[in-house]
Amino acid sequence: MTAQILDGKLVASAVKEEVAAVVSQLDYVPGLATVLVGDDPASHSYVRGKRRDAEQVGIRSFHHELPATIPQDELEALIDGLNANDEVDGILVQLPLPGELDSEAIVERIDPSKDVDGLHPFNLGLLVLGKKGLRPCTPSGILRILDHYGIETAGARVVIVGRSFLVGRPLALMLSERGADATVTVTHSRTEDLHGETTDADILVAAAGARGLITAEHVKPGAAVIDVGINRTDDGLVGDVDFDSVVESAGAITPVPGGVGPMTRAMLLVNTLSAAKARRS
Ligand code: NAD
């Protein structure tokens, strides 16, 4: 059996169409501010993509590009200005920040109602409490692609490889929330028997940033495999999953590129729209 390919580009473009349709009915233009510090080429390319997406769905983009030498207090002052700007509904600071800049302090400076990355402690707190709030984009994108392809989470055993606050931990909370109802195991670099854990999974999510970590041996036949990893190689981007071997026995799999990445970007637009509606209603 060859796995069904979970096409993130396709699902992301459906999500973008939905957002564009709603935006076109609003009597205001939602605004997304992007803050890009330094000259990391990957960060530049991510932000370019996010701004292009925003414009495609009718969200106005306010872009701020700053040198890596910007002092912390100046960056914080920029965030304060964006918090106070009524035309800005969402603020995205592209991480990681270079040098000595304190990313945590910057993220905490963002008004939680404009935190469209869903990484402010207030929004993460709402997530822990199971209350409505802005959720992190990558986990939201994973839930959305599973839902699109009818991959049932209720009652499923989900194993997540990686415990970062960006992906693994919020995803574990979102999948175990009422409504998603999965039974979730989070593994990490100190997990003793990774193989023993992953082979139990009906849905396996790899978010470690380790090329080729997950091979066919780690996957239960028929399982859905979500590859979050982005690893740059001479041959281009690859995930954490050895696609060629896993595709032969898994039930479904996201490719890299073209899987979780486009979904993350699409969910940023969904969050910006939600933030705009909540602020302006
Ligand atoms: P991180 O470095 O913050 O966390 C990695 C996690 O993986 C850690 O918890 C670590 O314990 C675990 N880990 C590392 N090696 C492991 C191993 N050999 N066995 C088991 N666990 C291991 O990374 P992150 O920010 O969560 O990102 C993870 C990957 O996902 C990266 O490749 C990143 O580029 C990618 N990413 C992709 C998207 C997307 O939209 N596609 C979004 C965010 C992150």
Side-chain angles (χ1 to χ4, degrees):
M1 187 182 79
T2 308
Q4 177 181 24
I5 305 299
L6 307 177
D7 185 343
K9 274 196 200 160
L10 184 98
V11 183
S13 68
V15 171
K16 281 164 75 176
E17 273 174 33
E18 281 168 28
V19 172
V22 177
V23 169
S24 70
Q25 300 297 313
L26 298 173
D27 55 8
Y28 56 84
V29 180
L32 171 66
T34 47
V35 178
L36 176 57
V37 185
D39 48 16
D40 176 60
S43 291
H44 274 256
S45 145
Y46 289 141
V47 172
R48 241 190 335 270
K50 290 169 184 177
R51 294 178 62 205
R52 196 170 50 229
D53 290 346
E55 279 152 19
Q56 279 171 359
V57 300
I59 291 174
R60 185 182 300 154
S61 122
F62 299 85
H63 184 53
H64 296 269
E65 218 165 292
L66 306 151
T69 52
I70 185 168
Q72 181 82 18
D73 58 349
E74 278 184 35
L75 190 52
E76 288 180 5
L78 171 71
I79 302 295
D80 293 346
L82 296 172
N83 285 339
N85 184 341
D86 266 344
E87 292 190 315
V88 172
D89 297 289
I91 302 171
L92 176 129
V93 178
Q94 185 64 39
L95 301 176
L97 291 173
E100 301 293 302
L101 288 165
D102 179 350
S103 327
E104 266 179 42
I106 295 297
V107 171
E108 285 175 24
R109 196 88 181 185
I110 296 171
D111 177 340
S113 71
K114 297 189 177 189
D115 167 40
V116 284
D117 250 348
L119 298 177
H120 189 288
F122 183 80
N123 283 315
L124 292 174
L126 292 176
L127 169 58
V128 173
L129 294 169
K131 292 191 171 173
K132 215 164 162 272
L134 291 163
R135 301 287 197 243
C137 297
T138 302
S140 300
I142 293 170
L143 261 67
R144 188 66 184 252
I145 201 167
L146 290 172
D147 183 53
H148 179 94
Y149 283 98
I151 296 171
E152 188 59 76
T153 55
R157 280 186 178 279
V158 180
V159 175
I160 301 171
V161 184
R163 60 179 166 186
S164 75
F165 83 103
L166 187 64
V167 188
R169 268 186 274 169
L171 178 63
L173 288 166
M174 288 164 73
L175 280 165
S176 51
E177 268 185 310
R178 197 177 286 275
D181 299 318
T183 302
V184 184
T185 301
V186 179
T187 65
H188 44 78
S189 51
R190 298 280 181 98
T191 296
E192 279 194 2
D193 179 13
L194 186 67
H195 176 268
E197 300 293 344
T198 59
T199 44
D200 253 359
D202 303 311
I203 300 172
L204 174 60
V205 181
R211 179 186 187 179
L213 177 65
I214 301 300
T215 64
E217 283 178 9
H218 292 88
V219 179
K220 181 165 82 175
V225 179
I226 306 295
D227 192 354
V228 185
I230 298 177
N231 305 291
R232 285 169 202 282
T233 73
D234 292 344
D235 305 325
L237 297 184
V238 297
D240 291 351
V241 175
D242 177 27
F243 185 90
D244 291 345
S245 71
V246 173
V247 75
E248 297 297 331
S249 61
I253 186 168
T254 59
V256 177
V260 175
M263 292 306 301
T264 298
R265 277 168 54 176
M267 298 319 284
L268 176 68
L269 305 173
V270 171
N271 276 355
T272 305
L273 177 57
S274 312
K277 282 175 157 178
R279 286 187 58 250
R280 300 192 194 226
S281 65

Short mmCIF file of all heavy atoms in Angstrom, two decimals, residues 46 137-139 142 160-169 186-191 194 206-211 213-214 227-232 238-240 256 259-265, ligand 1:
data_model
loop_
_atom_site.label_atom_id
_atom_site.label_comp_id
_atom_site.label_asym_id
_atom_site.label_seq_id
_atom_site.Cartn_x
_atom_site.Cartn_y
_atom_site.Cartn_z
N TYR A 46 10.54 33.52 4.70
CA TYR A 46 9.29 33.23 5.40
C TYR A 46 8.40 34.47 5.44
O TYR A 46 7.20 34.41 5.17
CB TYR A 46 9.55 32.78 6.84
CG TYR A 46 10.15 31.39 6.96
CD1 TYR A 46 11.12 31.11 7.91
CD2 TYR A 46 9.72 30.35 6.14
CE1 TYR A 46 11.68 29.85 8.03
CE2 TYR A 46 10.27 29.08 6.26
CZ TYR A 46 11.24 28.83 7.20
OH TYR A 46 11.78 27.58 7.33
N CYS A 137 0.14 28.67 15.24
CA CYS A 137 -0.23 28.39 13.85
C CYS A 137 0.10 26.96 13.39
O CYS A 137 -0.69 26.33 12.68
CB CYS A 137 0.46 29.38 12.92
SG CYS A 137 -0.06 31.07 13.23
N THR A 138 1.28 26.47 13.75
CA THR A 138 1.66 25.15 13.23
C THR A 138 0.75 24.04 13.78
O THR A 138 0.20 23.25 13.00
CB THR A 138 3.16 24.86 13.49
OG1 THR A 138 3.91 25.90 12.87
CG2 THR A 138 3.59 23.53 12.92
N PRO A 139 0.54 23.98 15.11
CA PRO A 139 -0.40 22.97 15.61
C PRO A 139 -1.80 23.14 15.00
O PRO A 139 -2.45 22.15 14.65
CB PRO A 139 -0.42 23.22 17.12
CG PRO A 139 0.87 23.90 17.42
CD PRO A 139 1.21 24.71 16.21
N ILE A 142 -1.87 21.64 11.63
CA ILE A 142 -1.86 20.17 11.67
C ILE A 142 -3.28 19.65 11.94
O ILE A 142 -3.75 18.74 11.26
CB ILE A 142 -0.85 19.67 12.73
CG1 ILE A 142 0.57 20.02 12.29
CG2 ILE A 142 -1.01 18.17 12.97
CD1 ILE A 142 1.64 19.80 13.35
N ILE A 160 3.86 12.43 19.49
CA ILE A 160 4.52 13.62 18.96
C ILE A 160 6.00 13.52 19.31
O ILE A 160 6.35 13.26 20.46
CB ILE A 160 3.93 14.90 19.60
CG1 ILE A 160 2.42 14.98 19.33
CG2 ILE A 160 4.65 16.15 19.09
CD1 ILE A 160 1.71 16.09 20.10
N VAL A 161 6.84 13.70 18.32
CA VAL A 161 8.28 13.68 18.58
C VAL A 161 8.74 15.14 18.62
O VAL A 161 8.73 15.83 17.60
CB VAL A 161 9.03 12.90 17.49
CG1 VAL A 161 10.52 12.80 17.83
CG2 VAL A 161 8.43 11.50 17.32
N GLY A 162 9.12 15.61 19.80
CA GLY A 162 9.51 17.02 19.98
C GLY A 162 8.61 17.68 21.00
O GLY A 162 7.39 17.51 20.95
N ARG A 163 9.20 18.41 21.93
CA ARG A 163 8.41 19.02 23.01
C ARG A 163 8.58 20.53 23.06
O ARG A 163 8.51 21.13 24.13
CB ARG A 163 8.81 18.40 24.36
CG ARG A 163 10.27 18.59 24.69
CD ARG A 163 10.64 17.99 26.04
NE ARG A 163 12.08 17.89 26.18
CZ ARG A 163 12.67 17.29 27.21
NH1 ARG A 163 11.96 16.73 28.15
NH2 ARG A 163 13.99 17.25 27.27
N SER A 164 8.83 21.16 21.91
CA SER A 164 9.04 22.62 21.93
C SER A 164 7.74 23.35 22.24
O SER A 164 6.65 22.83 22.02
CB SER A 164 9.58 23.09 20.59
OG SER A 164 8.55 23.10 19.62
N PHE A 165 7.89 24.58 22.74
CA PHE A 165 6.71 25.38 23.04
C PHE A 165 6.04 25.88 21.76
O PHE A 165 4.90 26.31 21.75
CB PHE A 165 7.07 26.56 23.96
CG PHE A 165 7.62 27.76 23.23
CD1 PHE A 165 6.83 28.87 23.01
CD2 PHE A 165 8.92 27.76 22.73
CE1 PHE A 165 7.31 29.97 22.32
CE2 PHE A 165 9.40 28.84 22.04
CZ PHE A 165 8.60 29.95 21.84
N LEU A 166 6.77 25.78 20.64
CA LEU A 166 6.27 26.24 19.35
C LEU A 166 5.37 25.18 18.70
O LEU A 166 4.38 25.50 18.06
CB LEU A 166 7.48 26.53 18.45
CG LEU A 166 7.27 27.17 17.10
CD1 LEU A 166 6.70 28.57 17.26
CD2 LEU A 166 8.60 27.24 16.33
N VAL A 167 5.76 23.93 18.82
CA VAL A 167 5.03 22.87 18.12
C VAL A 167 4.55 21.77 19.09
O VAL A 167 3.34 21.61 19.32
CB VAL A 167 5.88 22.21 17.00
CG1 VAL A 167 5.01 21.25 16.18
CG2 VAL A 167 6.54 23.23 16.10
N GLY A 168 5.47 20.99 19.63
CA GLY A 168 5.11 19.75 20.33
C GLY A 168 4.16 19.94 21.49
O GLY A 168 3.12 19.28 21.57
N ARG A 169 4.50 20.87 22.39
CA ARG A 169 3.67 21.01 23.60
C ARG A 169 2.28 21.57 23.31
O ARG A 169 1.28 21.01 23.76
CB ARG A 169 4.41 21.81 24.66
CG ARG A 169 5.18 20.87 25.58
CD ARG A 169 5.80 21.60 26.72
NE ARG A 169 7.10 22.12 26.31
CZ ARG A 169 7.80 22.99 27.02
NH1 ARG A 169 7.31 23.49 28.13
NH2 ARG A 169 8.99 23.37 26.60
N VAL A 186 4.02 12.63 24.33
CA VAL A 186 5.04 13.54 23.81
C VAL A 186 6.41 12.93 24.07
O VAL A 186 6.74 12.61 25.22
CB VAL A 186 4.95 14.93 24.49
CG1 VAL A 186 6.05 15.86 23.96
CG2 VAL A 186 3.59 15.56 24.26
N THR A 187 7.18 12.76 23.02
CA THR A 187 8.54 12.23 23.18
C THR A 187 9.55 13.33 22.86
O THR A 187 9.19 14.36 22.29
CB THR A 187 8.78 11.03 22.23
OG1 THR A 187 8.71 11.51 20.89
CG2 THR A 187 7.74 9.93 22.43
N HIS A 188 10.79 13.08 23.21
CA HIS A 188 11.81 14.13 23.06
C HIS A 188 13.20 13.48 23.03
O HIS A 188 13.31 12.25 23.04
CB HIS A 188 11.69 15.15 24.20
CG HIS A 188 11.48 14.51 25.53
ND1 HIS A 188 12.51 13.94 26.24
CD2 HIS A 188 10.35 14.27 26.24
CE1 HIS A 188 12.03 13.41 27.34
NE2 HIS A 188 10.73 13.59 27.37
N SER A 189 14.23 14.33 23.06
CA SER A 189 15.58 13.80 22.89
C SER A 189 16.03 12.91 24.04
O SER A 189 16.97 12.14 23.91
CB SER A 189 16.57 14.95 22.70
OG SER A 189 16.38 15.88 23.72
N ARG A 190 15.34 12.98 25.19
CA ARG A 190 15.70 12.12 26.32
C ARG A 190 14.82 10.87 26.40
O ARG A 190 14.94 10.10 27.36
CB ARG A 190 15.58 12.91 27.63
CG ARG A 190 16.51 14.11 27.73
CD ARG A 190 17.89 13.64 28.12
NE ARG A 190 18.82 14.74 28.24
CZ ARG A 190 19.14 15.33 29.39
NH1 ARG A 190 18.61 14.94 30.51
NH2 ARG A 190 20.01 16.31 29.40
N THR A 191 13.91 10.71 25.45
CA THR A 191 13.05 9.52 25.47
C THR A 191 13.92 8.29 25.23
O THR A 191 14.72 8.25 24.29
CB THR A 191 11.98 9.64 24.36
OG1 THR A 191 11.15 10.76 24.67
CG2 THR A 191 11.13 8.38 24.26
N LEU A 194 12.42 5.52 21.67
CA LEU A 194 11.60 6.27 20.71
C LEU A 194 10.81 5.31 19.83
O LEU A 194 9.60 5.47 19.62
CB LEU A 194 12.48 7.20 19.87
CG LEU A 194 11.72 8.14 18.94
CD1 LEU A 194 10.91 9.15 19.71
CD2 LEU A 194 12.69 8.85 17.99
N ALA A 206 6.19 14.22 13.61
CA ALA A 206 7.63 14.39 13.80
C ALA A 206 7.95 15.88 13.77
O ALA A 206 7.78 16.54 12.75
CB ALA A 206 8.38 13.66 12.70
N ALA A 207 8.40 16.41 14.91
CA ALA A 207 8.74 17.84 15.00
C ALA A 207 10.02 17.98 15.81
O ALA A 207 10.04 18.60 16.87
CB ALA A 207 7.60 18.62 15.64
N ALA A 208 11.09 17.37 15.30
CA ALA A 208 12.35 17.34 16.04
C ALA A 208 13.42 18.20 15.37
O ALA A 208 14.34 18.67 16.02
CB ALA A 208 12.85 15.91 16.16
N GLY A 209 13.29 18.39 14.07
CA GLY A 209 14.36 19.09 13.35
C GLY A 209 15.57 18.18 13.17
O GLY A 209 16.71 18.63 13.25
N ALA A 210 15.30 16.90 12.94
CA ALA A 210 16.39 15.93 12.76
C ALA A 210 16.10 15.12 11.50
O ALA A 210 15.18 14.28 11.48
CB ALA A 210 16.47 15.01 13.98
N ARG A 211 16.87 15.38 10.48
CA ARG A 211 16.67 14.74 9.18
C ARG A 211 16.70 13.21 9.28
O ARG A 211 17.61 12.66 9.90
CB ARG A 211 17.79 15.21 8.25
CG ARG A 211 17.69 14.60 6.89
CD ARG A 211 18.87 14.97 6.04
NE ARG A 211 18.63 14.47 4.69
CZ ARG A 211 19.45 14.63 3.69
NH1 ARG A 211 20.57 15.29 3.85
NH2 ARG A 211 19.16 14.14 2.51
N LEU A 213 15.05 11.12 10.97
CA LEU A 213 14.87 10.50 12.29
C LEU A 213 13.83 9.38 12.26
O LEU A 213 13.99 8.34 12.88
CB LEU A 213 14.44 11.59 13.28
CG LEU A 213 14.13 11.16 14.71
CD1 LEU A 213 15.39 10.64 15.39
CD2 LEU A 213 13.54 12.31 15.52
N ILE A 214 12.76 9.61 11.51
CA ILE A 214 11.66 8.63 11.47
C ILE A 214 11.76 7.83 10.17
O ILE A 214 11.63 8.37 9.07
CB ILE A 214 10.30 9.36 11.55
CG1 ILE A 214 10.20 10.19 12.84
CG2 ILE A 214 9.15 8.37 11.43
CD1 ILE A 214 10.32 9.40 14.13
N ASP A 227 4.81 15.29 9.06
CA ASP A 227 6.23 15.67 9.13
C ASP A 227 6.35 17.20 9.24
O ASP A 227 6.10 17.92 8.28
CB ASP A 227 6.94 15.18 7.86
CG ASP A 227 8.45 15.26 7.97
OD1 ASP A 227 8.95 15.80 8.99
OD2 ASP A 227 9.13 14.77 7.04
N VAL A 228 6.70 17.66 10.43
CA VAL A 228 6.80 19.11 10.66
C VAL A 228 8.22 19.61 10.35
O VAL A 228 8.43 20.77 10.04
CB VAL A 228 6.44 19.45 12.13
CG1 VAL A 228 6.42 20.96 12.36
CG2 VAL A 228 5.09 18.86 12.50
N GLY A 229 9.19 18.72 10.44
CA GLY A 229 10.59 19.10 10.33
C GLY A 229 10.92 19.84 9.04
O GLY A 229 10.36 19.57 7.98
N ILE A 230 11.81 20.81 9.18
CA ILE A 230 12.34 21.50 8.00
C ILE A 230 13.86 21.47 8.15
O ILE A 230 14.42 22.10 9.06
CB ILE A 230 11.86 22.96 7.92
CG1 ILE A 230 10.34 23.03 7.80
CG2 ILE A 230 12.51 23.67 6.73
CD1 ILE A 230 9.78 24.44 7.79
N ASN A 231 14.50 20.72 7.30
CA ASN A 231 15.97 20.63 7.36
C ASN A 231 16.50 21.02 5.98
O ASN A 231 16.04 20.49 4.96
CB ASN A 231 16.37 19.19 7.71
CG ASN A 231 15.71 18.71 9.00
OD1 ASN A 231 16.03 19.20 10.07
ND2 ASN A 231 14.77 17.79 8.90
N ARG A 232 17.43 21.95 5.99
CA ARG A 232 17.99 22.42 4.71
C ARG A 232 19.16 21.54 4.30
O ARG A 232 20.05 21.29 5.10
CB ARG A 232 18.49 23.87 4.87
CG ARG A 232 17.35 24.83 4.91
CD ARG A 232 17.65 26.23 5.32
NE ARG A 232 16.40 26.81 5.79
CZ ARG A 232 15.44 27.25 4.98
NH1 ARG A 232 15.61 27.26 3.68
NH2 ARG A 232 14.30 27.71 5.48
N VAL A 238 14.16 19.07 3.41
CA VAL A 238 13.65 17.73 3.73
C VAL A 238 13.10 17.77 5.16
O VAL A 238 13.47 18.64 5.96
CB VAL A 238 14.72 16.61 3.60
CG1 VAL A 238 15.23 16.48 2.18
CG2 VAL A 238 15.87 16.83 4.57
N GLY A 239 12.25 16.80 5.45
CA GLY A 239 11.64 16.76 6.77
C GLY A 239 12.42 15.88 7.74
O GLY A 239 13.61 15.60 7.54
N ASP A 240 11.73 15.46 8.80
CA ASP A 240 12.32 14.54 9.79
C ASP A 240 12.02 13.10 9.44
O ASP A 240 12.51 12.17 10.07
CB ASP A 240 11.72 14.82 11.19
CG ASP A 240 12.17 16.15 11.76
OD1 ASP A 240 13.06 16.78 11.18
OD2 ASP A 240 11.61 16.55 12.80
N VAL A 256 7.38 17.11 2.54
CA VAL A 256 8.17 18.32 2.83
C VAL A 256 9.01 18.59 1.59
O VAL A 256 9.77 17.71 1.18
CB VAL A 256 9.11 18.13 4.05
CG1 VAL A 256 9.96 19.38 4.26
CG2 VAL A 256 8.32 17.82 5.30
N GLY A 259 3.64 20.36 2.87
CA GLY A 259 2.76 19.73 3.85
C GLY A 259 2.36 20.72 4.93
O GLY A 259 1.47 21.55 4.74
N VAL A 260 3.09 20.64 6.06
CA VAL A 260 2.73 21.47 7.21
C VAL A 260 3.09 22.95 6.98
O VAL A 260 2.38 23.85 7.46
CB VAL A 260 3.43 20.93 8.48
CG1 VAL A 260 3.18 21.82 9.68
CG2 VAL A 260 2.96 19.50 8.77
N GLY A 261 4.15 23.22 6.24
CA GLY A 261 4.59 24.61 6.02
C GLY A 261 3.48 25.51 5.49
O GLY A 261 3.16 26.54 6.11
N PRO A 262 2.86 25.15 4.37
CA PRO A 262 1.78 26.01 3.85
C PRO A 262 0.60 26.13 4.82
O PRO A 262 -0.06 27.17 4.88
CB PRO A 262 1.33 25.29 2.57
CG PRO A 262 2.42 24.35 2.22
CD PRO A 262 3.17 24.04 3.47
N MET A 263 0.37 25.07 5.61
CA MET A 263 -0.74 25.13 6.58
C MET A 263 -0.43 26.15 7.68
O MET A 263 -1.31 26.87 8.14
CB MET A 263 -0.96 23.75 7.22
CG MET A 263 -1.49 22.71 6.27
SD MET A 263 -2.99 23.22 5.41
CE MET A 263 -4.11 23.55 6.76
N THR A 264 0.84 26.20 8.11
CA THR A 264 1.23 27.17 9.14
C THR A 264 0.94 28.58 8.64
O THR A 264 0.39 29.41 9.36
CB THR A 264 2.74 27.00 9.45
OG1 THR A 264 2.95 25.69 9.96
CG2 THR A 264 3.23 28.02 10.45
N ARG A 265 1.32 28.83 7.41
CA ARG A 265 1.11 30.17 6.83
C ARG A 265 -0.38 30.49 6.73
O ARG A 265 -0.81 31.60 7.03
CB ARG A 265 1.76 30.26 5.46
CG ARG A 265 3.24 30.58 5.57
CD ARG A 265 3.98 30.39 4.27
NE ARG A 265 3.41 31.10 3.14
CZ ARG A 265 3.95 31.12 1.92
NH1 ARG A 265 5.09 30.50 1.72
NH2 ARG A 265 3.38 31.78 0.94
P1 NAD B 1 13.17 22.77 18.75
O1 NAD B 1 14.60 22.60 18.41
O2 NAD B 1 12.71 23.88 19.60
O3 NAD B 1 12.62 21.42 19.39
C1 NAD B 1 12.98 20.17 18.89
C2 NAD B 1 12.42 19.10 19.79
O4 NAD B 1 12.73 17.85 19.22
C3 NAD B 1 13.01 19.12 21.19
O5 NAD B 1 11.95 18.97 22.13
C4 NAD B 1 13.92 17.89 21.24
O6 NAD B 1 13.90 17.26 22.51
C5 NAD B 1 13.29 16.98 20.19
N1 NAD B 1 14.28 16.14 19.55
C6 NAD B 1 15.40 16.55 18.89
N2 NAD B 1 16.10 15.47 18.44
C7 NAD B 1 15.38 14.39 18.82
C8 NAD B 1 15.59 13.00 18.66
N3 NAD B 1 16.67 12.52 18.04
N4 NAD B 1 14.68 12.16 19.20
C9 NAD B 1 13.57 12.62 19.85
N5 NAD B 1 13.33 13.96 20.01
C10 NAD B 1 14.24 14.80 19.51
O7 NAD B 1 12.43 22.82 17.34
P2 NAD B 1 10.97 23.34 16.87
O8 NAD B 1 10.97 24.80 16.84
O9 NAD B 1 9.90 22.61 17.59
O10 NAD B 1 11.00 22.82 15.38
C11 NAD B 1 11.13 21.45 15.07
C12 NAD B 1 11.28 21.28 13.58
O11 NAD B 1 10.06 21.72 12.97
C13 NAD B 1 12.38 22.13 12.94
O12 NAD B 1 12.90 21.42 11.84
C14 NAD B 1 11.65 23.36 12.47
O13 NAD B 1 12.30 23.98 11.37
C15 NAD B 1 10.34 22.76 12.04
N6 NAD B 1 9.21 23.67 12.05
C16 NAD B 1 8.43 23.64 10.96
C17 NAD B 1 7.31 24.44 10.92
C18 NAD B 1 6.43 24.37 9.71
O14 NAD B 1 5.59 25.22 9.53
N7 NAD B 1 6.59 23.36 8.86
C19 NAD B 1 6.98 25.28 11.99
C20 NAD B 1 7.79 25.25 13.11
C21 NAD B 1 8.91 24.43 13.15
#
